[in-house]
Amino acid sequence: MSGAEDDPGGEAPCFAQDVVGGHVVDAQTRADVAQFRKSDRARLYALRKELSQDELARQAAAVMATLDRVLEDVAGKAVAGYWPIRGELDLRSWFGRAGAAGAQVALPVVVEKGRAVQFHLWQPGAKMTRGIWNIPVPAEARPVAPEIVIVPLLGVDDGCYRLGNGGGYYDMTLAALTPRPRVIGVGHDFCPVQTIFPQPWDVPMDEVILGDGSHVRRGE
């Protein structure tokens, strides 16, 4: 799940301007940004593949230690995590600890292609099933509204705008959540890019935590 430029859910561009997510966007600009992001995704996926399992575990541990420091007590809060795919950092042990500490932990579930996702309650050992794109999701659908959403990053720019896998699901979901949750992007130490050329539908992260343990708040 990621930025909306590849799969905005509308018609293919055929006019000088398109309407995407209620925003009027120049068709050529949209195409140029989509091509740029496609190229940067390929570069970042290649960097992921170069990481050893030990390095992935080291970076995940650094992110989890920073989450402990940044979030402190999560008891009584609804925390949305993710099931790692395509080399994303595996934070499932942290999500499990958060649940043991009294948090309601949930995972994103695509219930319909092209629509905002739901977050369904999860705990370690819970029965899972295969969702859309074969991603594991809780077998029992127990939706919850998250107060904190932890989002995997492929890339992230200086404005805390996220580059993801290109489906647009996180952007449309975060834009629809009321009240807006605290959104924390997490990723590898090589995630930073100068810009993703954010479009009107892109939703920035409130904070970013990377595999070197660094923590950045938007606007700082």
Side-chain angles (χ1 to χ4, degrees):
M1 298 189 296
S2 180
E5 72 282 3
D6 288 345
D7 184 12
E11 298 274 340
C14 57
F15 300 104
Q17 291 182 324
D18 294 327
V19 178
V20 180
H23 304 283
V24 177
V25 183
D26 176 75
Q28 186 60 54
T29 298
R30 176 182 164 199
D32 290 344
V33 170
Q35 183 58 43
F36 168 82
R37 293 185 184 183
K38 181 178 180 180
S39 176
D40 224 22
R41 284 192 187 96
R43 179 183 66 82
L44 291 164
Y45 281 134
L47 289 174
R48 278 186 181 180
K49 290 180 180 179
E50 293 176 2
L51 296 180
S52 67
Q53 291 301 310
D54 285 346
E55 178 61 15
L56 283 169
R58 186 193 68 77
Q59 293 203 28
V63 168
M64 291 187 284
T66 304
L67 281 171
D68 284 335
R69 175 174 58 82
V70 168
L71 291 178
E72 297 180 342
D73 186 10
V74 294
K77 297 180 180 178
V79 179
Y82 63 91
W83 193 276
I85 62 171
R86 303 186 72 176
E88 292 169 346
L89 295 180
D90 187 351
L91 309 185
R92 285 175 293 180
S93 63
W94 188 89
F95 299 136
R97 293 200 306 273
Q104 287 185 301
V105 178
L107 297 179
V109 179
V110 177
V111 293
E112 183 180 351
K113 287 186 177 181
R115 301 291 183 183
V117 305
Q118 293 181 1
F119 295 97
H120 292 180
L121 290 175
W122 169 87
Q123 60 185 19
K127 185 177 179 181
M128 305 291 283
T129 189
R130 294 285 176 173
I132 293 178
W133 300 296
N134 221 25
I135 300 173
V137 298
E140 183 180 357
R142 294 184 292 160
V144 64
E147 299 165 70
I148 300 168
V149 180
I150 298 173
V151 183
L153 306 170
L154 180 56
V156 65
D157 72 9
D158 293 344
C160 289
Y161 284 96
R162 169 184 180 268
L163 184 68
N165 296 321
Y169 288 94
Y170 271 116
D171 287 315
M172 70 179 78
T173 300
L174 296 174
L177 290 175
T178 304
R180 176 186 161 96
R182 180 180 180 181
V183 183
I184 304 174
V186 295
H188 307 79
D189 58 6
F190 52 74
C191 281
V193 298
Q194 186 173 358
T195 184
I196 68 163
F197 295 101
Q199 299 300 290
W201 57 80
D202 289 315
V203 176
M205 307 292 97
D206 296 312
E207 303 164 65
V208 171
I209 298 173
L210 298 179
D212 58 2
S214 60
H215 172 226
V216 175
R217 293 183 177 88
R218 186 167 185 250
E220 289 186 350

